[in-house]
Amino acid sequence: MRRLRALWAASHPGPSLVVTVLAVALGIGAGQPPWRLALLAVAVLAGQLSVGISNDAIDAARDRAVGRRDKPIARGDVDLRTAWVAAAAAVVVALVLSAVLGLAMAAVHAVALASAWAYNAGLKKSAWSIAPFIVSFGLFPSLATLAADPPRLATPWATLAGAALGAAVHLTNVLPDLEDDDRTGIRGLPHRLGARVSVIVAIAGIAVGAIAVLVGPVGGDLGRIGPVAWLFFAAVGAVAVVTLVRALRHPPGRALFRLTMLCALLLAAQLVATGGS
């Protein structure tokens, strides 16, 4: 049980659960029946667990070097071999369940996971660190629609919204670790831009995602946008403003990432409430 708890903690459980909830919300918006929603949720969760555990396994030496006591693998609560076995097993579960939902869904999920693993494996050190988030989150809405019957790719505006939010997630997620990353040779795009510029670009990403979700379902006809959609848009705008103000007044912390994920949840809820897909 101790190993299981350590693996769960190493999987970045908060973001993993949020992404799973997003997948379920998008699945509901795509009109999937309960059994498909359940498979989609487990497949996405397994994929996210693999990404989180592999990230901490790759970074174990770096985390020990900077004294990250919040990292179970770096602390030695679970050994590297066990962590890699768990990450590999999670990938297999994710892809097998995805294949049950459809080969196209499995293929797209495989690309999204490969992109995320590529970030863990080395892209995080380059100016292209944002690319895996744009790719994986851009493909994310299609997981729900390809898992439906009949399968279909997500609409272009949903893909745009996912990619824009992915960029915002990356830029806000790494901000608290900029100094530790610099000490261990990590120089991704946010490190090169700096904290303040990264937050401004992240807010722009949230804005692009919010606008896409607002106008996409109605084909750009603002007169057809209902009051519920405007309400969600205003809520996302308010959270974005809070994120920006907090970033300007306080040192970058985990709160900025949590606020960005809240925006993603609000946009997913908007899709369900307004019937967008």
Side-chain angles (χ1 to χ4, degrees), residues 22-33 36-37 40 44 101-102 104-106 108 138-159 271 276-277:
L22 287 173
V24 171
L26 292 173
I28 293 172
Q32 293 190 23
R36 283 186 174 273
L37 282 176
L40 175 65
V44 169
L101 291 168
M105 192 279 199
V108 170
L139 292 174
F140 188 73
S142 287
L143 297 183
T145 54
L146 288 172
D149 187 17
R152 63 189 187 280
L153 287 171
T155 56
W157 60 262
T159 301
L271 290 177
S277 62

Side-chain angles (χ1 to χ4, degrees), residues 94-276:
L95 296 181
V96 168
L97 293 180
S98 296
V100 174
L101 291 168
L103 293 181
M105 192 279 199
V108 170
H109 200 186
V111 173
L113 291 176
S115 171
W117 276 62
Y119 172 84
N120 293 344
L123 279 178
K124 67 170 66 176
K125 301 178 183 178
S126 75
W128 295 97
S129 62
I130 199 171
F133 284 82
I134 292 174
V135 171
S136 295
F137 277 81
L139 292 174
F140 188 73
S142 287
L143 297 183
T145 54
L146 288 172
D149 187 17
R152 63 189 187 280
L153 287 171
T155 56
W157 60 262
T159 301
L160 172 63
L165 285 170
V169 166
H170 172 52
L171 292 167
T172 54
N173 186 35
V174 302
L175 291 182
D177 302 324
L178 291 184
E179 292 184 5
D180 287 347
D181 287 344
D182 279 336
R183 289 168 54 192
T184 54
I186 301 297
R187 291 282 296 166
L189 182 62
H191 308 80
R192 299 163 195 254
L193 294 177
R196 180 164 295 183
V197 174
S198 293
V199 171
I200 292 172
V201 177
I203 296 300
I206 292 172
V208 169
I211 293 171
V213 173
L214 179 70
V215 305
V218 297
D221 184 354
L222 298 184
R224 293 172 53 202
I225 299 174
V228 174
W230 282 114
L231 180 63
F232 275 104
F233 182 76
V236 172
V239 174
V241 170
V242 170
T243 303
L244 180 60
V245 171
R246 186 179 182 91
L248 295 177
R249 291 185 176 180
H250 304 283
R254 295 293 173 199
L256 300 182
F257 172 66
R258 296 188 183 105
L259 288 169
T260 301
M261 296 302 282
L262 174 59
C263 288
L265 287 170
L266 286 171
L267 293 177
Q270 177 180 338
L271 290 177
V272 175
T274 60

Side-chain angles (χ1 to χ4, degrees), residues 4-20 44-45 47-60 62-63 68 70-73 119-120 124 133 169 173-174 177 254 257 261:
L4 287 176
R5 286 195 296 269
L7 285 171
W8 174 248
S11 71
H12 300 212
S16 294
L17 290 173
V18 170
V19 171
T20 303
V44 169
L45 178 60
Q48 290 304 300
L49 296 182
S50 81
V51 173
I53 294 172
S54 66
N55 178 76
D56 278 18
I58 291 170
D59 286 351
R62 291 182 49 251
D63 290 336
R68 290 292 299 270
D70 58 323
K71 298 290 188 176
I73 299 176
Y119 172 84
N120 293 344
K124 67 170 66 176
F133 284 82
V169 166
N173 186 35
V174 302
D177 302 324
R254 295 293 173 199
F257 172 66
M261 296 302 282

